[in-house]
C-alpha cells in the first residue's frame, strides 16, 4: 500500500493540519516508508486469530450512574483563547 | 437488499406526470438515554443548566482524560433492544467516528460501527387503531451526543456549550420499510411510546431528546430503490411527515424532468415548506472509523440480559391486547388508552370493579376531552380516578342520568381545580340531582306537557317520531332528572303510540 500526493493533502485537511505545498512530496515519502515497514506484517498468517483488544485478559470497567463530576465551568473554559459567560467562543460556524 | 421490502399499498402512491411513484422511507432516531450521568463521565445529564456547568474534563476532552462507561446506559440500551424484539449482542465494540466541529471537542464521536449492542428486531406500528404494519429494526447502537453551538449571540463568533457533550444517545435505525408520511409518523409515535413505557428515553422532542434523520427515496412500483437523500435532525412528528412529502415531491419533479438525484444530506425548513442541501460536509463524510483504543469491548452474559428482561414493564402491544380481552374494549379505545402508560393506568384505576366500556367511555370522551382542551396530560388531571369512578357508579346504579352525569362531572372538575376534592355521591345528595324514577311524578310532568300542547299531540299521532319532541320537553321540565326509559314508556302509552 502507498499513498499519492492527493491523498496526503486530503489526510492533512481531514486532520486540520496545515501542510505547505512544498512539504507534500517529503511527507508522501515518509508516509510511504512507514506503510512499507508495516507491510511486513502481511507476511504473518492471521487466519482465525481474534484481534487482540487488551494485553491482559480483562473485562471493561464500568461506572455507576452517579453524578460526581462537572460544575467546574470556569476551569473548563480557562484555556480557551476567547470565552464569554462560560461559553467557548469560536469563529462563526453556520451550516 | 430488496428481499425484506414491503410494497406500498396502491393508495399510498403518488401520482406523477409519468405514472405512479412509491415513496421509500427509513428512519434513524436519536434517542437520549434516560440516566443521571453521561455515557463515559460522571457529569450530569440534566437539561437547562448554565453553560458548560455539566461538563467534566472528560467531556471537554482535556488531554489524558479516559472514558469509563456508565453501566446504567448499557442496561437502558439492552432494555430498549428487548422492547424492540431485537437480538442483543453480548459483545459489542466502541469506535471513533472522526470529524471536526467546534461542538465536538474530542475531534471524534465515540459510537458503535461494526458491532452494535443491539442487532435486528421489529416492531408493530399502528397506522390506524385497527390497521398495523411490521417495521424492521436494523440495529441500535450507543453513542455520545455532541455539544451545542449558538450562532446568534455575536456578529462574528459562535458560542459553544458542552453540557450535552457526552450524554448517551441510542441511535435506532429502521429498515427502509416505510411507504408514506403517515407510516413514518406512526412509526416514530410507536417507537416513542415504547421508549417511554420502558423508561429508557423520555421522548421529549421539544428538548431535542428524540430527533430523527429521515431517509427518503422514490421509485416506480416494483423498481429497485432510487437514490436517497437524508433529511437531518427533524424534531417533531408533524415535521417528519411534512419533510417526507416535500422531499418525495422534489425528487419526483427532478426525475420526471429527466434529472438524477444526488445522494446528499438536506435540511427541512418548516417555515418555507422545503428541503435544502446542507452542502459543506460532503468531503468531510470520511469518518475514518476505528476501534477506540481507550475502551475494551463491551461484554455481558445472558444472565445480565435475562435479569433486565424479567423486570421489563408490560409494553403497549401486550397492554392493548389485555385491555381488549379483560375489559371488552374496542381496539380503537384500547389504542387511545395505551398511547401513554399513565393514561392506561388511570383507566384501569377507574375500571377496577366497574364496567370497562363505561369506564373507557368516560375516561376517553369526558376526561381526556377536557384535559386536551386545557392542554394538560393525565398526570395533571385535577379529577382523581376515584372521583370519575364514583360518577360511573352513579350512572350504573341508575341514580343519575347521563346528562346529569355530565353536569356532575363539571361540578367535580371545577371544584377539584379549586383544590376541593368532592365525593360525587355526596354532591348528588346535597344538590338533589338524583334521577326521578317515581312514575307518578313523571306522569304528572307528562300530563302537563300534553295538556299544554294539544296540537303537537295530534301531530305525534300521525307521525310517531314526534314523540322525541315530547321526551325533550319532559326532560327539560324535570331538570334532566327524569329517568329516560320511564319517560319513553309512559309517553308512548299516553300518546297512544304503544
Amino acid at each position: 500500500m502507498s499513498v499519492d500526493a492527493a491523498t496526503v493533502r486530503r489526510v492533512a485537511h481531514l486532520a486540520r493540519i496545515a501542510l505547505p505545498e512544498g512539504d507534500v512530496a517529503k511527507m508522501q515519502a515518509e508516509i510511504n516508508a512507514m506503510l512499507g515497514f508495516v507491510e511486513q506484517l502481511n507476511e504473518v498468517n492471521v487466519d482465525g486469530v481474534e484481534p487482540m483488544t487488551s494485553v491482559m485478559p480483562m473485562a471493561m470497567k464500568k461506572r455507576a450512574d452517579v453524578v460526581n463530576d462537572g460544575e467546574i465551568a470556569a476551569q473548563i473554559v480557562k484555556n480557551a483563547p476567547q470565552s464569554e459567560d462560560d461559553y467557548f467562543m469560536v469563529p462563526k460556524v453556520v451550516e | 437488499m430488496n428481499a425484506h421490502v414491503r410494497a406500498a399499498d396502491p393508495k399510498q402512491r403518488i401520482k406523477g406526470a409519468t405514472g405512479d411513484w412509491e415513496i421509500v422511507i427509513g428512519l434513524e432516531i436519536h434517542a437520549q438515554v434516560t440516566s443521571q450521568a453521561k455515557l463515559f463521565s460522571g457529569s450530569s445529564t440534566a437539561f437547562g443548566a448554565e453553560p458548560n456547568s455539566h461538563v467534566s474534563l472528560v467531556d471537554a476532552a482535556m488531554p489524558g482524560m479516559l472514558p469509563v462507561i456508565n453501566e446504567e446506559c448499557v442496561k437502558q440500551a439492552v432494555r430498549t433492544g428487548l422492547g424492540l424484539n431485537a437480538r442483543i449482542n453480548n459483545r459489542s465494540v466502541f469506535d471513533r467516528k472522526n470529524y471536526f466541529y467546534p461542538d465536538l471537542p474530542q475531534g471524534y464521536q465515540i459510537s458503535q460501527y461494526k458491532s452494535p449492542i443491539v442487532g435486528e428486531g421489529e416492531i408493530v406500528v399502528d397506522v390506524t387503531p385497527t390497521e398495523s404494519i411490521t417495521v424492521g429494526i436494523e440495529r441500535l447502537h450507543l453513542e455520545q451526543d455532541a455539544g451545542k453551538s449558538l450562532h446568534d449571540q455575536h456578529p462574528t463568533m459562535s458560542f459553544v456549550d458542552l453540557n450535552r457533550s457526552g450524554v448517551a444517545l441510542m441511535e435506532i435505525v429502521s429498515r427502509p420499510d416505510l411507504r408514506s408520511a403517515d407510516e413514518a409518523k406512526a412509526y416514530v409515535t410507536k417507537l416513542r411510546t415504547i421508549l417511554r413505557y420502558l423508561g429508557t428515553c423520555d421522548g421529549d422532542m421539544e428538548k431535542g431528546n428524540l430527533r430523527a434523520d429521515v431517509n427518503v427515496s422514490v421509485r416506480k412500483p416494483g423498481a429497485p430503490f432510487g437514490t436517497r437523500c437524508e433529511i437531518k435532525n427533524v424534531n417533531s412528528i408533524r415535521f417528519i411527515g411534512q419533510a417526507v412529502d416535500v422531499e418525495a415531491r422534489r425528487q419526483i419533479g427532478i426525475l420526471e424532468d429527466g434529472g438524477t438525484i444526488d445522494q446528499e444530506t438536506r435540511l427541512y425548513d418548516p417555515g418555507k415548506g422545503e428541503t435544502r442541501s446542507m452542502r459543506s460536509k460532503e468531503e468531510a463524510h470520511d469518518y475514518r472509523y476505528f476501534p477506540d483504543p481507550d475502551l475494551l469491548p463491551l461484554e455481558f452474559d445472558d444472565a445480565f440480559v435475562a435479569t433486565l428482561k424479567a423486570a421489563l414493564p408490560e409494553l403497549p402491544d401486550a397492554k392493548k391486547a389485555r385491555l381488549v380481552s379483560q375489559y371488552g374494549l374496542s381496539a380503537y379505545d384500547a389504542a387511545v388508552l395505551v398511547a401513554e402508560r399513565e393514561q392506561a393506568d388511570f383507566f384501569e384505576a377507574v375500571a377496577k370493579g366497574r364496567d370497562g366500556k363505561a369506564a373507557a367511555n368516560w375516561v376517553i370522551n369526558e376526561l381526556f376531552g377536557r384535559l386536551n382542551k386545557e392542554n394538560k396530560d393525565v398526570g395533571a388531571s385535577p379529577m382523581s380516578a376515584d372521583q370519575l369512578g364514583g360518577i360511573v357508579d352513579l350512572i350504573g346504579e341508575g341514580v343519575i342520568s347521563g346528562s346529569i352525569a355530565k353536569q356532575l362531572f363539571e361540578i367535580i372538575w371545577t371544584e377539584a381545580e379549586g383544590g376541593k376534592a368532592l365525593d360525587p355521591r355526596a354532591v348528588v345528595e346535597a344538590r338533589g340531582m338524583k334521577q326521578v324514577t317515581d312514575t307518578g311524578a313523571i306522569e304528572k310532568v307528562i300530563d302537563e306537557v300534553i295538556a299544554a300542547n294539544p296540537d303537537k299531540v295530534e301531530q305525534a299521532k300521525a307521525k310517531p317520531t314526534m314523540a322525541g319532541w315530547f321526551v325533550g320537553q319532559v326532560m327539560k321540565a324535570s331538570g334532566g332528572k327524569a329517568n329516560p326509559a320511564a319517560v319513553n314508556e309512559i309517553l308512548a302509552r299516553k300518546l297512544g303510540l304503544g
Side-chain angles (χ1 to χ4, degrees):
Chain A
M1 186 186 171
S2 65
V3 296
D4 58 14
T7 306
V8 171
R9 283 189 208 99
R10 188 156 153 277
V11 169
H13 174 68
L14 285 172
R16 297 302 188 275
I17 293 170
L19 184 64
E21 192 52 37
D23 291 352
V24 170
K26 181 171 159 253
M27 198 57 73
Q28 184 186 351
E30 284 186 14
I31 292 173
N32 281 334
M34 281 185 258
L35 289 172
F37 176 74
V38 175
E39 201 103 309
Q40 295 176 64
L41 291 174
N42 285 343
E43 291 166 19
V44 184
N45 183 357
V46 291
D47 286 353
V49 179
E50 282 269 306
M52 187 178 75
T53 49
S54 148
V55 179
M56 303 287 287
M58 57 196 284
M60 179 159 67
K61 278 222 167 61
K62 301 187 178 90
R63 66 164 69 237
D65 185 26
V66 175
V67 175
N68 55 15
D69 207 346
E71 312 310 317
I72 47 169
Q75 283 184 59
I76 293 295
V77 298
K78 195 173 167 191
N79 291 334
Q82 238 183 309
S83 68
E84 193 175 302
D85 297 335
D86 289 337
Y87 282 105
F88 292 97
M89 291 170 81
V90 299
K92 200 154 202 140
V93 271
V94 186
E95 283 287 338
Chain B
M1 183 83 182
N2 275 10
H4 184 93
V5 167
R6 289 183 53 236
D9 189 315
K11 68 176 189 280
Q12 292 173 329
R13 290 177 189 159
I14 294 189
K15 294 243 176 298
T18 59
D20 284 358
W21 293 86
E22 186 177 286
I23 314 179
V24 175
I25 308 152
L27 288 168
E28 292 164 26
I29 303 290
H30 290 91
Q32 182 177 324
V33 174
T34 299
S35 66
Q36 300 298 314
K38 294 183 179 181
L39 182 54
F40 294 114
S41 84
S43 43
S44 168
T45 59
F47 182 82
E50 292 296 309
N52 289 311
S53 58
H54 291 173
V55 180
S56 70
L57 298 178
V58 177
D59 310 315
M62 292 296 169
M65 294 299 117
L66 289 172
V68 181
I69 196 163
N70 180 338
E71 185 171 29
E72 177 62 14
C73 297
V74 175
K75 289 181 179 170
Q76 294 286 54
V78 172
R79 288 184 187 112
T80 306
L82 292 168
L84 303 178
N85 311 301
R87 192 182 72 239
I88 306 298
N89 293 325
N90 291 23
R91 183 181 195 276
S92 62
V93 175
F94 286 100
D95 298 279
R96 292 185 179 180
K97 177 181 181 178
N98 299 279
Y99 66 92
F100 266 95
Y101 205 74
D103 59 22
L104 186 79
Q106 286 167 157
Y108 57 85
Q109 176 193 34
I110 303 179
S111 181
Q112 297 190 300
Y113 186 50
K114 282 187 186 153
S115 305
I117 184 167
V118 175
E120 290 191 330
E122 60 180 36
I123 61 173
V124 174
V125 171
D126 315 294
V127 183
T128 69
T130 50
E131 233 181 302
S132 60
I133 56 171
T134 300
V135 177
I137 302 292
E138 194 170 299
R139 59 185 282 161
L140 175 156
H141 66 251
L142 277 170
E143 63 184 26
Q144 298 176 299
D145 204 349
K148 189 177 162 67
S149 305
L150 305 172
H151 305 298
D152 54 1
Q153 308 288 307
H154 192 278
T156 58
M157 307 292 276
S158 291
F159 283 34
V160 179
D161 172 15
L162 300 180
N163 280 344
R164 254 181 25 200
S165 166
V167 168
L169 299 179
M170 296 179 282
E171 179 170 329
I172 304 166
V173 183
S174 83
R175 293 214 160 261
D177 283 351
L178 301 158
R179 293 291 173 273
S180 69
D182 283 344
E183 287 188 4
K185 282 156 67 179
Y187 167 76
V188 179
T189 303
K190 183 60 174 282
L191 187 59
R192 180 174 177 275
T193 301
I194 293 172
L195 294 171
R196 285 173 55 81
Y197 267 63
L198 290 165
T200 57
C201 169
D202 67 14
D204 190 336
M205 299 186 83
E206 276 174 28
K207 289 182 185 153
N209 295 354
L210 188 80
R211 20 190 223 272
D213 295 344
V214 187
N215 287 288
V216 179
S217 65
V218 297
R219 63 173 175 179
K220 287 288 172 72
F225 284 149
T227 304
R228 67 188 157 85
C229 288
E230 180 181 11
I231 308 157
K232 277 273 181 201
N233 256 331
V234 189
N235 62 2
S236 90
I237 291 176
R238 194 160 53 98
F239 291 164
I240 290 171
Q242 292 172 3
V244 166
D245 280 335
V246 164
E247 177 61 14
R249 286 185 187 285
R250 183 188 74 88
Q251 293 183 13
I252 291 169
I254 291 173
L255 293 170
E256 293 199 326
D257 286 345
T260 52
I261 306 299
D262 296 327
Q263 180 165 343
E264 61 177 356
T265 306
R266 301 178 69 84
L267 273 181
Y268 177 61
D269 180 339
K272 291 188 178 151
E274 62 176 31
T275 65
R276 273 199 303 277
S277 177
M278 273 174 77
R279 55 182 177 84
S280 72
K281 285 194 183 168
E282 293 327 312
E283 196 209 5
H285 251 321
D286 184 351
Y287 291 130
R288 295 151 293 145
Y289 282 98
F290 64 89
D292 191 319
D294 290 340
L295 291 159
L296 286 165
L298 174 58
E299 292 176 300
F300 42 76
D301 56 17
D302 291 340
F304 176 80
V305 179
T307 307
L308 294 171
K309 189 169 188 173
L312 286 187
E314 183 182 36
L315 291 173
D317 291 342
K319 198 182 280 287
K320 183 179 166 192
R322 184 173 61 77
L323 293 188
V324 169
S325 67
Q326 186 176 337
Y327 298 99
L329 302 189
S330 65
Y332 183 90
D333 283 355
V336 171
L337 291 169
V338 302
E340 295 285 345
R341 191 163 150 183
E342 293 73 17
Q343 293 184 358
D345 289 348
F346 193 98
F347 161 74
E348 292 207 77
V350 175
K352 199 176 172 197
R354 303 190 174 95
D355 177 58
K357 279 185 177 166
N361 188 20
W362 277 84
V363 168
I364 294 171
N365 296 326
E366 302 305 322
L367 185 77
F368 290 176
R370 189 53 176 272
L371 288 167
N372 261 343
K373 213 186 285 175
E374 304 198 0
N375 226 342
K376 285 182 174 146
D377 53 39
V378 74
S381 169
M383 188 182 290
S384 72
D386 273 354
Q387 286 177 309
L388 188 57
I391 296 175
V392 174
D393 282 342
L394 292 165
I395 307 165
E397 293 165 16
V399 176
I400 55 173
S401 64
S403 62
I404 290 286
K406 288 188 184 178
Q407 294 175 29
L408 178 60
F409 180 93
E410 197 59 42
I411 294 167
I412 304 279
W413 177 281
T414 309
E415 293 292 330
E417 276 186 319
K420 255 164 86 183
L422 300 182
D423 170 35
R425 197 173 294 271
V427 172
V428 167
E429 287 290 343
R431 305 206 184 186
M433 297 168 82
K434 270 191 178 169
Q435 184 159 246
V436 178
T437 45
D438 171 1
T439 46
I442 294 174
E443 253 188 89
K444 190 164 160 274
V445 178
I446 289 177
D447 285 343
E448 283 166 17
V449 173
I450 287 178
N453 300 283
D455 51 328
K456 294 273 199 304
V457 174
E458 285 313 310
Q459 290 176 29
K461 282 183 174 152
K463 196 176 155 219
T465 49
M466 268 298 291
W469 181 84
F470 282 94
V471 175
Q473 293 301 304
V474 173
M475 294 307 287
K476 202 167 143 192
S478 73
K481 289 187 286 183
N483 177 302
V487 172
N488 276 322
E489 190 198 308
I490 297 168
L491 252 179
R493 181 157 42 85
K494 297 247 169 195
L495 293 173
L497 303 172

